[in-house]
């Protein structure tokens, strides 16, 4: 008497990951890492926010992996646009920028996790799987800071005044700190010089700064301190 063959469970579908970064070599490395996983696959890639939105419409990813600094619209703006296009899309930010400065901003925008590029492939894969499962991923340090903020243990005076800035104002402030003049900032962000000047005026008002030279000095000091960290 022959025994019936035991049916093996069907493997679940691989989670589709869209990779967005303006460095082609980094995208290639992320694509290779993701495609080596039995439960993940790279369904597409893009080098800027506009192409990313086109790819979202094309492949309907399960997870969006994005950097913050890109030509044109920033990663923070991409988060909002992507969620408007595909509500509920899990978004993981993977960037070189310090989480102490940027993470809360992008989480408020709708991202589900934040990983610094120096964290390594194991943490990155763990973060992808966590946000794909509907959870939030944050480092231990960021989790502690968010908890302090939520419970009121974080003193109000310790909050950065830069949190008053909009995402685009923050982009302008960051580039001012890198020493770029208005014309170069406009070119890099795909804005008019008049729009950049308006953002500069708003930044000065929000930070309580009167002179343009004071703003540039403040932005340069902030940029230097971030590099030092």
């Amino acid at each position: 008497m022959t025994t019936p063959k035991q049916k093996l469970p069907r493997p679940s579908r691989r989670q589709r990951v869209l990779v967005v970064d303006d460095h082609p070599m980094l995208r290639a490395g992320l694509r290779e890492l993701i495609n080596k996983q039995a439960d993940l696959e790279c369904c597409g890639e893009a080098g800027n926010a506009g192409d990313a939105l086109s790819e979202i419409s094309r492949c309907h990813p399960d997870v969006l992996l994005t950097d913050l600094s890109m030509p044109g619209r920033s990663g923070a703006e991409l988060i909002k646009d992507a969620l408007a296009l595909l509500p509920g899309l899990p978004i993981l930010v993977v960037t070189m920028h310090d989480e102490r400065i940027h993470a809360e901003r992008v989480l408020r925008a709708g991202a589900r996790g934040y990983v610094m590029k120096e964290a390594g492939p194991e943490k990155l894969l763990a973060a992808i799987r966590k946000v794909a499962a509907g959870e939030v991923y944050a480092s231990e340090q960021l989790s502690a800071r968010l908890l302090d903020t939520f419970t009121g243990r974080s003193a109000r005076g310790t909050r950065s005044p830069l949190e008053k800035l909009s995402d685009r104002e923050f982009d302008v402030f960051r580039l001012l700190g890198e020493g770029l003049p208005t014309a170069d900032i406009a070119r890099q962000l795909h804005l008019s010089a008049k729009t950049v000047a308006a953002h500069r005026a708003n930044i000065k008002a929000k930070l309580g700064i009167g002179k343009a030279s004071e703003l540039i000095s403040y932005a340069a000091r902030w940029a230097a301190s971030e590099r030092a960290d």
Side-chain angles (χ1 to χ4, degrees), residues 72-112:
R73 296 180 69 77
S74 67
E77 291 176 307
L78 170 59
I79 291 168
K80 299 173 184 176
D81 292 341
L83 290 173
L85 183 63
L86 194 61
L89 172 64
I91 301 174
L92 177 65
V93 171
V94 182
T95 184
M96 60 177 282
H97 295 298
D98 194 330
E99 66 180 21
R100 292 173 296 175
I101 304 296
H102 303 269
E104 288 186 59
R105 179 181 294 273
V106 299
L107 291 174
R108 286 197 302 269
R112 301 289 294 175

Side-chain angles (χ1 to χ4, degrees), residues 162 165 168-186 188-189 193 195-205 207 209 211-224 226-227:
L162 298 181
L165 305 182
R168 183 51 87 197
E169 289 166 353
F170 186 81
D171 287 337
V172 171
F173 177 84
R174 175 176 54 81
L175 294 175
L176 283 171
E178 294 177 8
L180 272 65
T182 295
D184 289 347
I185 293 174
Q188 182 158 331
L189 297 180
T195 298
V196 173
H199 284 316
R200 288 179 57 154
N202 290 337
I203 294 168
K204 287 193 296 181
L207 299 183
I209 295 174
K211 298 180 180 179
S213 59
E214 294 174 352
L215 172 60
I216 293 172
S217 177
Y218 181 61
R221 291 196 305 273
W222 173 83
E226 187 177 46
R227 287 193 295 268

Side-chain angles (χ1 to χ4, degrees), residues 15 33-34 55-56 141 149 174-176 186 196 209 220-221:
Q15 298 290 302
L33 174 67
I34 290 167
E55 283 295 285
I56 289 171
Q141 295 85 352
T149 300
R174 175 176 54 81
L175 294 175
L176 283 171
V196 173
I209 295 174
R221 291 196 305 273

